[in-house]
Amino acid sequence: MTPNTNKKWQMTLPEDWTVKQADENGVETEMLLRDHPVLAKYTTKDEAVKALVHAQRMIGKSPEGYVRMPGDDDGPEELAAFYGALGRPEAADGYELPNMDVPDGFEIREDLTNGLRQKAHELGLTPKQVSGLYEWFMPLVMDAHHGIENEAQTMRETELESLRSIHRGDTPSILDHAMRAAEAIGGDDLLTALDKTNAGNHAAVINAFAKIAPLVLEGGLRGSTKGWGEDLSIERLREMMKDPRFSDPSKRDSTFVKKVNEGFEMLYPGDYVPGSRL
């Protein structure tokens, strides 16, 4: 019968050779070296000694796949090497963002996506991390945009209904006078600002511009009935443009056409192209 040498060689170790061993609770106790479980995987003392020598040789060497975390004293080159080892592309344009379906009216600005790439590169993120963040964040942005658009549309409808409840059939004329007054005061820049801020959709703002229209458009409004026999308005001009004397080349009346053009010039003084404001 072959004797069991696996345990026998450990028993040759002196009894006064002890080591500290921590239990599952972290409490350290003294135990005989011969009873240490790590020695059980070696069948002979020679194997144990060879393993010890190999372990000593590996001290100070980096295992395969090991990446050292840069310290406070390391420079940008060491930090760049660390990020590169983790998978960061060499330049910010190395990040490829996934294609995403966007709702109508929503635009993904190139300057913002380029800024995202630059910041991701600065932080040392990997392409997979950036792609994952982009796919998570963009739907949240689009949902927020959709909510803002719906809110703005609801506000426009509510404010318009408020105008109708006050002015009823005169609402189109009020809107026209307000628009022309705003244009006369601030030009296209003011109209653009009113559109971008949604201020131009508020009933209070529209009423305010409509009230000052007689002051800023005094010549146009007070002289609008001259030669017409009725109040001049954009609605009236639209009706006249549908008249065969204006729209039908075979029945075109030069006097009638001139009157329509003069009406537009009175309503919209300055640079005027017939029909451009309809």
Side-chain angles (χ1 to χ4, degrees):
M1 178 179 296
T2 303
N4 184 1
T5 59
N6 188 43
K7 182 68 175 177
K8 184 175 280 189
W9 80 265
Q10 298 174 51
M11 297 304 296
T12 63
L13 298 176
E15 292 187 0
D16 59 344
W17 287 11
T18 61
V19 293
K20 290 184 177 181
Q21 175 72 6
D23 60 17
E24 59 183 10
N25 296 320
V27 179
E28 291 187 339
T29 57
E30 291 282 344
M31 69 177 301
L32 294 174
L33 180 60
R34 64 175 63 167
D35 294 332
H36 199 286
V38 75
L39 297 179
K41 61 182 179 180
Y42 303 110
T43 58
T44 66
K45 185 185 295 186
D46 291 344
E47 286 187 14
V49 172
K50 289 179 181 179
L52 173 62
V53 173
H54 180 70
Q56 289 293 324
R57 291 176 58 191
M58 293 301 296
I59 293 178
K61 294 184 177 181
S62 299
E64 184 178 355
Y66 171 80
V67 179
R68 187 181 70 84
M69 179 71 180
D72 295 337
D73 297 332
D74 289 319
E77 293 183 358
E78 288 79 9
L79 187 61
F82 171 71
Y83 287 151
L86 294 179
R88 185 187 75 168
E90 293 184 1
D93 57 9
Y95 293 108
E96 292 187 7
L97 301 179
N99 293 324
M100 304 191 71
D101 294 331
V102 298
D104 293 338
F106 185 88
E107 178 185 2
I108 299 179
R109 290 170 48 185
E110 186 176 357
D111 60 327
L112 295 182
T113 55
N114 287 338
L116 169 64
R117 291 185 174 95
Q118 290 289 345
K119 192 62 179 179
H121 194 265
E122 175 186 332
L123 296 174
L125 302 184
T126 66
K128 186 175 181 180
Q129 290 171 331
V130 175
S131 178
L133 286 172
Y134 187 80
E135 288 182 325
W136 167 77
F137 187 67
M138 285 304 297
L140 299 180
V141 174
M142 288 186 281
D143 286 345
H145 172 79
H146 184 66
I148 293 173
E149 286 291 306
N150 286 343
E151 183 179 347
Q153 179 62 28
T154 300
M155 186 272 289
R156 283 192 291 267
E157 294 174 354
T158 301
E159 294 295 302
L160 183 58
E161 188 60 33
S162 175
L163 284 173
R164 291 193 182 105
S165 67
I166 298 174
H167 302 290
R168 301 187 182 280
D170 293 332
T171 300
S173 178
I174 293 296
L175 292 170
D176 179 64
H177 289 172
M179 186 275 290
R180 291 193 290 116
E183 185 178 31
I185 294 172
D188 291 338
D189 289 341
L190 178 57
L191 295 179
T192 300
L194 292 173
D195 286 339
K196 285 186 175 181
T197 61
N198 278 328
N201 293 322
H202 288 274
V205 175
I206 295 172
N207 280 326
F209 277 112
K211 288 179 180 179
I212 65 174
L215 300 178
V216 298
L217 301 174
E218 183 174 359
L221 292 179
R222 290 187 179 180
S224 62
T225 59
K226 183 179 180 180
W228 283 77
E230 65 275 317
D231 289 337
L232 174 61
S233 68
I234 189 66
E235 290 75 23
R236 175 58 179 156
L237 290 174
R238 288 192 180 115
E239 292 177 3
M240 294 177 70
M241 290 183 69
K242 296 177 182 178
D243 191 293
R245 289 174 293 175
F246 185 93
S247 60
D248 189 343
S250 64
K251 300 179 181 179
R252 198 171 182 86
D253 185 330
S254 59
T255 302
F256 187 83
V257 171
K258 181 180 179 181
K259 183 177 181 180
V260 173
N261 290 338
E262 288 176 348
F264 275 105
E265 290 174 355
M266 295 173 71
L267 285 179
Y268 304 104
D271 296 334
Y272 163 70
V273 178
S276 63
R277 307 241 181 206
L278 291 181

